[in-house]
Amino acid sequence: MKYYTKRGDDGNTILPNGKISKDSNLINIVGDIDELNSLFGLIVNYIDDEYINNIIKGIQDRFFNIGAEIIMQNSKVNKEEDKKSFNFSEQNITDLETVIDEIGAKLPELNKFILPGGSESAAWLHYTRAVVRRVERDFVKFSKEQNLNPNILKYINRLSSFFFVAARYMNQKEGVKEINPTYTR
């Protein structure tokens, strides 16, 4: 089996619609999804908590489906019933909010800003949160130009909250004190 096709050598890739430039907004979003999914796969190696890892693996699976939905929704070739089969639902958002609330209930109240970092696992979770926020900005831009299920934007917005509370949770679990920034003039 060959792991290359040479079909993208001209700077285009093939989607259900046919060829599309690799620098298009659609391919940029698909690349963001791939980057985040790869980061999710990486960080579970640094997190020694089965509960958090299982949540991240579920998020990883949902992100694969988000990519499929975006490709299908922006395809002129596929049938409407095919497009609906990937419909990212509001239930995904509700499920993530439930997880955020469950984890947040285990944490001390936050009344000051905290610096990203702490334990190695928390630092990875904070870094992932920052990447999620960048990707969210790309999704907002994309949604102004292309067809995008609004539930996807809501889900990505909640994702940064999940990674924030997960980072705090791991610092607490690992006995690492959160650091508040010092304000200097």
Side-chain angles (χ1 to χ4, degrees), residues 47 49 51-52 55-56 59 95-110 114 117 119 121-123 125-126 128-130 133 157-173 178:
I47 311 232
D49 187 278
Y51 174 67
I52 297 294
I55 294 166
I56 293 169
I59 290 167
D95 292 347
L96 189 57
E97 289 172 343
T98 299
V99 166
I100 294 166
D101 292 343
E102 286 173 359
I103 296 169
K106 299 174 185 176
L107 300 172
E109 186 175 331
L110 185 64
I114 60 170
S119 69
S121 58
L125 290 161
H126 276 296
T128 302
R129 175 192 50 77
R133 285 192 167 181
N157 184 267
R158 299 305 181 284
L159 248 151
S160 61
S161 297
F162 164 74
F163 283 103
F164 181 74
V165 297
R168 292 192 69 218
Y169 169 80
M170 290 308 297
N171 271 336
Q172 179 178 316
K173 179 182 177 185
E178 294 175 325

Side-chain angles (χ1 to χ4, degrees), residues 43-56:
I43 63 173
V44 295
N45 294 297
Y46 292 95
I47 311 232
D48 187 22
D49 187 278
E50 187 176 356
Y51 174 67
I52 297 294
N53 281 341
N54 285 335
I55 294 166
I56 293 169

Side-chain angles (χ1 to χ4, degrees), residues 36-82:
L36 267 179
N37 233 338
S38 297
L39 184 55
F40 300 154
L42 172 71
I43 63 173
V44 295
N45 294 297
Y46 292 95
I47 311 232
D48 187 22
D49 187 278
E50 187 176 356
Y51 174 67
I52 297 294
N53 281 341
N54 285 335
I55 294 166
I56 293 169
K57 289 174 186 175
I59 290 167
Q60 195 174 25
D61 187 60
R62 284 180 196 82
F63 251 72
F64 191 84
N65 290 328
I66 287 171
E69 178 174 334
I70 288 171
I71 293 295
M72 295 299 282
Q73 288 298 323
N74 288 281
S75 171
K76 297 173 186 145
V77 175
N78 295 291
K79 300 175 187 170
E80 283 302 314
E81 58 267 16
D82 291 338

